[in-house]
Amino acid sequence: MPPKPSVSLLQLPPSFLIPRLPLNHVQDRGIRSLTPPRPNRFNRIQDLPLLESTTASALERKAYTIPLRTGVLGIKKGMTATYDPETGRRYACTVVQMDRVQVVAHKTRKRNGYFAVQVGSGWKHPSNVTRPLLGHYAEHGVSPKRHLAEFKVRDENGLLGIGETIKASWFQEGQFVDARANCRGMGFAGGMKRHGFSGQPASHGVSLTHRAMGSAGQSQGGGSRVYPGKKMAGRMGGQQVTVQNVKVLKVDDINGLVVLNGMSQCLLANN
């Protein structure tokens, strides 16, 4: 009868039962906080920069977006076309006339908080101008103007002299400007004309509602209401439109004409 194997209390289990742990493993025990520290949004640490929430700091941050020179007021006289002599390509262009454009007043940062030039164009009979506005024109020695607008400038170097006339030579050929004016109002328009809806089918059960808008929203899932901003029939046009980076094709200083590339509006601003 073979002898029984000796049993030892320190005998190791089989190798496949021993967990494989790296030699440099250090078990990290701890409690994770439910409210970890958050970065402080207040300027309480010495390393943080000073807060710049003043008006002067705000103007300094957006100074690079304000033009150095003032814009002008122009009247759109119509459209025509020009041809490039080198390529022979035809370009549609807009003819804008500058009618007695003068500097009426200044806005300064010390008095108004910003620099701006008030520009007027045209002429208006004094009997059709209110007395406060007549006093404003008389104070600066400028005749009453038909149109009046204000153009922001970066600093005091962009303030032209009061009463100075701005001619068409204020712009140069090849320069890029921004044109802004009110677009043509079209009155009350339907959904197809105003937003380009395709409308209802032309047949197959549709009667007298071919150009109707259709549903304006859900009955129950959306709260039984019409969401704000829903595209519907309404007044079309008449709002201000800005066309950026319009190229100046030609400048006629004698007749006060500025020819712009493409379809543009009437109020010109320097980029």
Side-chain angles (χ1 to χ4, degrees):
M1 184 173 181
K4 295 181 179 181
S6 60
V7 179
S8 176
L9 296 177
L10 299 178
Q11 187 176 2
L12 296 176
S15 60
F16 62 88
L17 295 178
I18 300 176
R20 297 181 179 180
L21 298 177
L23 298 178
N24 58 351
H25 174 73
V26 178
Q27 191 172 5
D28 187 11
R29 295 178 179 269
I31 300 175
R32 180 175 298 180
S33 176
L34 297 177
T35 57
R38 297 181 180 180
N40 190 2
R41 65 188 183 93
F42 299 101
N43 194 7
R44 296 181 179 178
I45 307 177
Q46 297 180 358
D47 298 337
L48 293 178
L50 296 177
L51 294 178
E52 297 181 355
S53 59
T54 60
T55 304
S57 300
L59 292 174
E60 184 178 357
R61 285 194 297 270
K62 58 183 181 181
Y64 69 97
T65 61
I66 302 177
L68 296 172
R69 307 196 311 164
T70 179
V72 300
L73 294 173
I75 302 173
K76 181 177 178 179
K77 306 301 292 186
M79 296 191 64
T80 182
T82 58
Y83 292 87
D84 189 354
E86 298 180 358
T87 61
R89 184 178 176 182
R90 181 180 183 273
Y91 291 94
C93 56
T94 302
V95 180
V96 179
Q97 184 178 18
M98 298 170 55
D99 181 19
R100 291 166 283 188
V101 180
Q102 283 184 289
V103 178
V104 178
H106 290 163
K107 296 293 182 66
T108 59
R109 182 172 297 179
K110 182 178 180 181
R111 185 176 56 185
N112 307 103
Y114 60 96
F115 293 102
V117 179
Q118 193 178 57
V119 179
S121 68
W123 180 82
K124 199 171 185 179
H125 198 277
S127 62
N128 297 327
V129 183
T130 59
R131 290 187 178 182
L133 199 54
L134 278 177
H136 177 68
Y137 289 125
E139 180 184 358
H140 299 92
V142 181
S143 61
K145 297 296 180 180
R146 172 69 61 178
H147 306 285
L148 198 64
E150 183 180 292
F151 297 90
K152 280 188 176 183
V153 292
R154 185 175 301 180
D155 49 23
E156 63 275 3
N157 297 326
L159 300 177
L160 300 178
I162 295 178
E164 183 176 348
T165 302
I166 303 177
K167 300 182 179 180
S169 57
W170 184 251
F171 301 100
Q172 299 179 359
E173 296 183 4
Q175 181 182 356
F176 290 90
V177 298
D178 296 341
R180 182 173 71 245
N182 294 332
C183 66
R184 180 167 57 93
M186 301 182 184
F188 193 93
M192 294 183 66
K193 180 179 180 180
R194 190 183 185 198
H195 300 291
F197 291 167
S198 60
Q200 306 297 330
S203 61
H204 299 288
V206 179
S207 300
L208 305 179
T209 57
H210 303 285
R211 298 181 64 86
M213 183 188 70
S215 175
Q218 305 92 325
S219 173
Q220 191 175 18
S224 299
R225 65 191 182 96
V226 179
Y227 288 159
K230 171 65 178 175
K231 293 182 179 180
M232 303 175 69
R235 186 181 178 186
M236 181 179 179
Q239 71 271 12
Q240 191 181 82
V241 178
T242 303
V243 183
Q244 295 181 333
N245 296 329
V246 182
K247 187 177 181 180
V248 178
L249 299 180
K250 189 176 181 180
V251 175
D252 188 354
D253 196 17
I254 299 177
N255 298 319
L257 299 178
V258 179
V259 181
L260 303 178
N261 183 26
M263 183 182 64
S264 304
Q265 308 300 321
C266 306
L267 189 145
L268 305 180
N270 289 281
N271 280 346

